[in-house]
Amino acid sequence: MPGGWGLIQLTAPMTPTLPTLRPVHFILATALLASHVLAQNPSSTPAPIKQIPPPGVKIPDGDRAELEAGVMALGKDLTVLRHNLQSKPELHALLPDVMIFHKAVDWALRYNEFFNSKQIATAKTLLELGNQRLSELKAGKPGWVSATGLVPRGYISKIDGSVQPYGMVIPEDWKPDEKTPRRLDFWCHGRGETLSELDFINQRLTNKGEYTPEGTLVLHLYGRYCCANKFAGETDLFEALENAKTHYNIDSNKLVVRGFSMGGGACWQFATHFAGLWAAVNPGAGFGDTKEFMKLGLTPDRPMPPAWEQTLWKWYDSKDYVSNLADTITVAYSGEKDGQKEAADLMIRSAREEAGVANPPMGELGKVAPGDGSPKAAEARVTGTSPDLVLYHVIGPDVPHKIKPEAKPEVESLVDAAVAKHEAVPKKIHFTTYTLVYSTMGPVTIDGMEKEWERADLDVDAFRMHVKTKNVSAFTIPSMNLDTIDGQMQAAPREDFTGKTKTLSFHKVNGLWVSGPAKSGKNPEICGPIDHAFMSSFVYVRPTGKPLNEKVGNWAHDELEHAIDFWRKTYRGDAPVKDDSAITAEDIQNSNLILWGDPSSNKVLAQIIAKLPLQWSQEKLAFGGHNYDAARTAPVMIFPNPLNPEKYVVLNSGVTFREQALLNNADQTPKLPDWAIIDLNTPPDAKWPGEVKAAGFFDEQWKAPAK
C-alpha cells in the first residue's frame, strides 16, 4: 500500500473563534493618562524617552464639543442596539463593524491622538459612517456586507475583549453568495507611530494599497498598531482571518502574506513561523533578526543584552527559522539602495548556511551578486540554497526604501505562479522551531521538546514512510503508514475502526519512541515565557489586601498601572482588570491570571502560593535554592495555574519589553524569561521593572533551577 497523508485540512495553529462581545463602556475621559518619563538604565541619570504614540495637536473647542457629543450619542445607540440584537445573532455579530468607528474617534479624543488638523474632518466622516452602519444594522439591512471595493471591518479580540479593525479590498466581481472560494492576501503595514485607529480606518477607506491582484481578496491588518505584528499583533492575523471567513468564502489553500518595511519584518516572521499556511510569502525590506539589524555588540554604546534576552531572540529572529521556507515559496523584494535590503541578504545567507555552504558572504548595499536576485522574475531565483527551498529575490534597481512600480509585475508573476502550483496536501514537511510557542507546521505538531530554546527539527516524509527528529520529545502527525521514527521500526495503523482518518501521537520513554501523547511537562499551550500569557485571554488581578511589605506593595501598584497604560498605548486595547475578590470560576477556566502583589495582598495568590515553586513571607523570599530580602525584592514569574493547569498564572508582570523597545521594532522582543527576581531598591526604568538580580527558565517539567 503506498505511503501518503490521510485527509488533511491545513489550518492556522491556535486559530481563535469569535468570542462573545464584552460590554464596552462609552465614558469619555478628557484627561490623558500620564506617561512615565523613565531612564535608559537603572544607573543612568533619568532622561526622557520619546513618547509613542506621540502627543497630538490641540483641536478647537467647538470641534471637540461636537465630536464628543457625536461619540457619546453613537455610544449610547450602540449600547441599546447591542441589547436589542441579542435574539438576532447574525446581526449581533456585525456590531464590531460599527464599533470600530466609535472607538476610532473616542480614543482620538480621549487620549489626545489627533496628530494633525485634517483629522478633525476625518473624525466627523467616521462618525457619519458609524451612524450610517448603525442605522442599517438597526433596520436589518447592513449594506456593507455586500459591498465591493474598500470595506473596513472589525472583530472582538479574545485576548482583551477590545474591538480591533481590519480593512478588506473586495474585487468588483465578488458576490455575497458565491460558491467558489477565493485567494486571500494579507498585507502587513509599515511603521507608523501616528497610525491610530482613526488614521488606519481612513486609509482603509481611501487607499487600496500596494498590491490588489485581480479576483483576490486583500486583508489589510491593523496588527495592534505599531508592533511589527508581534505578540498580540501576531494573534491579530488569525483573529482577523477567522472573522473574515464568516463574511467571505476564502480558499485556505490560497493564502498569501505580504508586507513592506516594518511589514516586511512582520512578513518574514509569519513566513518562517507558519510557512505551512502560505501558498506564497512576499516580504519587502524589513528585518530578519535583532542583533544584526540593531548593530548590537559592535560598539560600547550598543552592548549585548543579558544572556537570557539573547536566548529569547529565538522567538522572533526569522533567520533561525529559515529552513521552514521549504514549506512554501518565497518572493522577497528589496530596493537595491535600501538599507533594509539587509533583511533579504541575511535570510539568503542563512538559507545557504542551512544548505551546508561554509561561511557564505553577506550581500552588500547597492550590489547584487549573481545568484542573489534580479530585477527580472525569470532570473530572480536565489542559488546556493537546499533544493527544497525556493526563494526568489526581486530587486528594484537604483531605488532606496520603496517598491519600484516596474518591479510589481515581476513580483506578481512569481506570486501568482506559486499560488497556482501550491500543494494542498504536501508530500513531505520540514519543521524547525526553538520554542513550543511555534509548535505546528501545517498538519504536524511538536508536542514536547527535550530542551526548549535549542533547535528542534521534525521531518516527516509520508511517501518514504519515515519521521526524523532532533530535540523532540513528543509529536503528532496525520494518519499515515509509518515504518520508522529516527530509524526505530514502528507499526502504526492508517485508520481506526470507524474508518476515519486520525492523527498519530508519539513520545519518548528512556530514549525510545512509544505511541500516545506526552502526559506532562511544557506543551504548546503552556510553555512560557512570560510574554506568551498575553497572546490569549488574560485578566489583570488587582490586590485588595494589605501587602507584606510597603515597598513591594507600592511597586506592584505602580507596575500594574504601568502595565495597564502600556497595553493601551502599545496594543490598543483596555486590559481587563478585576479585583482579587471578583475572580470567578469562569475567569479561571478561560483566562490567564496576571496576579499583582504578594500572598498577603492578593487573595488568589494566597490560594495557590503553596503550589508555586517559591516561598514568600514578610522576611524572606525563597526561590531556586536562594533567599532574598522580601522587604526589597519581588518575583516575576509565569507558571501553570494550579487551579487550572491549562492556563497560566503570571506574577507581577505585563509584557516584558518597555518604552525603550518601542523606538525600534526589532527590539520589541521578550526581555524576561520564565522567572526573574527584581531588586526594588533600583526604580523601574524604560527597559526594566527594577534591577534584575537573577532570571532564567524553568526546565521542561516546570522545575525551578537547583542552587
Side-chain angles (χ1 to χ4, degrees):
M1 194 171 182
W5 303 116
L7 296 177
I8 304 164
Q9 182 176 357
L10 299 182
T11 57
M14 299 176 64
T15 302
T17 55
L18 184 67
T20 303
L21 296 178
R22 297 184 184 178
V24 178
H25 302 283
F26 301 104
I27 302 173
L28 284 173
T30 57
L32 177 67
L33 289 176
S35 297
H36 291 242
V37 179
L38 301 170
Q40 287 281 357
N41 57 69
S43 61
S44 68
T45 302
I49 292 293
K50 178 182 178 182
Q51 182 177 322
I52 299 174
V57 301
K58 178 176 173 55
I59 63 175
D61 292 343
D63 289 317
R64 173 171 284 277
E66 178 185 347
L67 289 170
E68 287 180 351
V71 166
M72 187 68 73
L74 179 56
K76 288 180 178 178
D77 289 345
L78 271 166
T79 301
V80 172
L81 185 59
R82 179 182 297 107
H83 174 76
N84 292 342
L85 292 180
Q86 291 292 337
S87 61
K88 300 177 180 180
E90 290 186 2
L91 294 177
H92 191 276
L94 297 176
L95 280 168
D97 292 337
V98 184
M99 294 166 65
I100 56 172
F101 294 99
H102 176 271
K103 179 183 178 181
V105 183
D106 181 24
W107 278 38
L109 289 165
R110 189 187 301 216
Y111 299 115
N112 187 29
E113 291 179 350
F114 284 89
F115 299 113
N116 59 66
S117 59
K118 294 180 181 179
Q119 290 189 334
I120 297 171
T122 298
K124 293 178 180 180
T125 298
L126 295 197
L127 282 179
E128 290 177 5
L129 291 172
N131 279 299
Q132 177 183 332
R133 283 192 176 185
L134 184 137
S135 297
E136 293 176 7
L137 192 56
K138 187 185 300 184
K141 298 178 180 180
W144 70 92
V145 301
S146 58
T148 59
L150 300 176
V151 185
R153 306 296 301 245
Y155 71 89
I156 301 297
S157 174
K158 68 171 185 177
I159 296 177
D160 55 6
S162 64
V163 62
Q164 296 294 327
Y166 65 94
M168 294 297 300
V169 184
I170 309 299
E172 292 302 320
D173 65 346
W174 174 82
K175 304 295 181 185
D177 58 350
E178 62 185 21
K179 303 301 181 184
T180 303
R182 291 187 183 242
R183 167 181 156 186
L184 174 72
D185 287 13
F186 291 96
W187 180 259
C188 303
H189 64 74
R191 185 174 174 90
E193 295 177 5
T194 60
L195 190 67
S196 62
E197 292 83 355
L198 189 77
D199 189 28
F200 176 78
I201 294 174
N202 182 55
Q203 290 184 28
R204 302 284 53 84
L205 288 164
T206 58
N207 188 342
K208 288 186 177 181
E210 294 284 359
Y211 295 100
T212 53
E214 184 178 356
T216 298
L217 298 163
V218 179
L219 193 160
H220 287 261
L221 296 161
Y222 185 45
R224 295 278 187 149
Y225 172 53
C226 190
C227 61
N229 301 82
K230 295 180 179 180
F231 305 112
E234 178 181 306
T235 304
D236 175 73
L237 180 145
F238 298 109
E239 292 191 306
L241 174 60
E242 187 69 16
N243 185 261
K245 283 182 174 180
T246 67
H247 307 307
Y248 308 101
N249 192 358
I250 294 169
D251 190 338
S252 294
N253 292 318
K254 294 182 179 179
L255 300 178
V256 176
V257 63
R258 322 175 80 153
F260 185 74
S261 193
M262 181 188 80
C267 186
W268 282 117
Q269 291 157 192
F270 283 122
T272 53
H273 290 129
F274 304 105
L277 289 178
W278 316 118
V281 298
N282 175 214
F287 51 90
D289 82 328
T290 293
K291 179 184 175 182
E292 295 204 32
F293 187 80
M294 297 186 66
K295 307 296 186 288
L296 298 178
L298 300 179
T299 57
D301 63 326
R302 292 178 178 268
M304 292 290 284
W308 68 78
E309 186 178 343
Q310 295 179 48
T311 296
L312 290 165
W313 286 343
K314 297 291 185 183
W315 187 319
Y316 277 119
D317 273 7
S318 300
K319 67 179 180 63
D320 294 323
Y321 295 78
V322 69
S323 63
N324 290 336
L325 295 179
D327 297 316
T328 186
I329 292 178
T330 304
V331 182
Y333 168 82
S334 301
E336 186 179 23
K337 295 184 177 180
D338 184 1
Q340 291 186 20
K341 173 176 170 286
E342 177 189 72
D345 289 339
L346 177 65
M347 298 300 286
I348 291 170
R349 185 183 71 182
S350 299
R352 288 171 175 162
E353 289 174 340
E354 280 287 321
V357 178
N359 301 316
M362 182 77 167
E364 297 181 42
L365 183 63
K367 297 181 180 180
V368 182
D372 283 0
S374 169
K376 297 298 183 182
E379 303 167 0
R381 174 75 183 266
V382 172
T383 61
T385 68
S386 69
D388 292 335
L389 198 154
V390 179
L391 170 58
Y392 298 93
H393 189 196
V394 177
I395 305 296
D398 200 37
V399 294
H401 193 59
K402 68 176 184 179
I403 302 176
K404 191 167 186 173
E406 293 84 352
K408 290 184 179 180
E410 307 297 325
V411 169
E412 287 288 58
S413 67
L414 291 170
V415 172
D416 289 347
V419 172
K421 66 180 181 181
H422 177 63
E423 291 183 320
V425 181
K427 297 180 178 67
K428 58 182 179 179
I429 289 178
H430 168 78
F431 182 25
T432 291
T433 190
Y434 289 80
T435 168
L436 292 171
V437 173
Y438 301 110
S439 61
T440 298
M441 185 62 65
V444 306
T445 299
I446 294 177
D447 299 307
M449 296 171 62
E450 293 172 348
K451 189 169 179 59
E452 201 171 14
W453 302 108
E454 294 184 2
R455 177 168 173 158
D457 292 306
L458 179 65
D459 288 279
V460 184
D461 190 326
F463 285 87
R464 293 184 179 179
M465 298 180 286
H466 67 68
V467 172
K468 184 178 179 181
T469 75
K470 174 185 175 182
N471 191 31
V472 174
S473 62
F475 65 88
T476 298
I477 59 174
S479 175
M480 61 179 282
N481 287 340
L482 180 60
D483 284 347
T484 64
I485 305 175
D486 296 332
Q488 178 186 331
M489 296 300 296
Q490 297 291 322
R494 182 178 176 81
E495 297 180 343
D496 63 14
F497 66 92
T498 64
K500 297 180 180 179
T501 58
K502 61 177 182 178
T503 58
L504 303 172
S505 294
F506 298 88
H507 66 282
K508 272 187 178 178
V509 176
N510 298 324
L512 296 177
W513 289 104
V514 298
S515 62
K519 294 180 171 56
S520 64
K522 289 185 174 181
N523 61 68
E525 302 299 324
I526 303 294
C527 58
I530 292 166
D531 291 273
H532 194 220
F534 301 95
M535 294 179 72
S536 55
S537 178
F538 72 90
V539 178
Y540 286 150
V541 182
R542 179 170 46 209
T544 59
K546 183 179 179 180
L548 292 170
N549 292 284
E550 183 179 7
K551 189 182 192 74
V552 176
N554 290 338
W555 172 83
H557 173 274
D558 292 346
E559 282 295 288
L560 170 57
E561 293 302 310
H562 174 270
I564 293 169
D565 184 38
F566 193 76
W567 183 267
R568 201 284 305 169
K569 291 187 295 187
T570 306
Y571 290 118
R572 313 302 292 182
D574 290 318
V577 183
K578 298 182 76 170
D579 287 349
D580 53 6
S581 57
I583 294 299
T584 65
E586 183 179 3
D587 295 324
I588 295 169
Q589 178 66 30
N590 297 327
S591 300
N592 302 316
L593 302 184
I594 317 303
L595 308 179
W596 301 87
D598 61 40
S600 175
S601 64
N602 192 302
K603 290 180 172 65
V604 180
L605 181 51
Q607 187 178 355
I608 65 173
I609 187 66
K611 296 183 179 180
L612 298 181
L614 77 163
Q615 295 79 47
W616 197 350
S617 67
Q618 187 173 18
E619 295 77 25
K620 184 174 67 175
L621 174 66
F623 176 81
H626 294 270
N627 295 326
Y628 302 91
D629 182 357
R632 59 176 286 181
T633 56
V636 166
M637 180 183 298
I638 190 168
F639 202 75
N641 186 350
L643 302 176
N644 176 13
E646 295 182 358
K647 298 293 180 181
Y648 291 118
V649 289
V650 172
L651 305 189
N652 294 310
S653 183
V655 293
T656 63
F657 67 88
R658 295 165 79 96
E659 284 77 2
Q660 182 174 310
L662 300 182
L663 304 179
N664 191 316
N665 296 113
D667 197 25
Q668 288 175 311
T669 59
K671 304 303 177 188
L672 292 174
D674 292 349
W675 60 267
I677 304 298
I678 309 300
D679 189 329
L680 310 186
N681 279 356
T682 299
D685 66 7
K687 184 168 183 178
W688 306 112
E691 181 185 357
V692 182
K693 299 291 291 184
F697 300 88
F698 293 110
D699 72 11
E700 277 55 49
Q701 296 299 318
W702 287 101
K703 300 297 183 183
K707 186 172 181 179

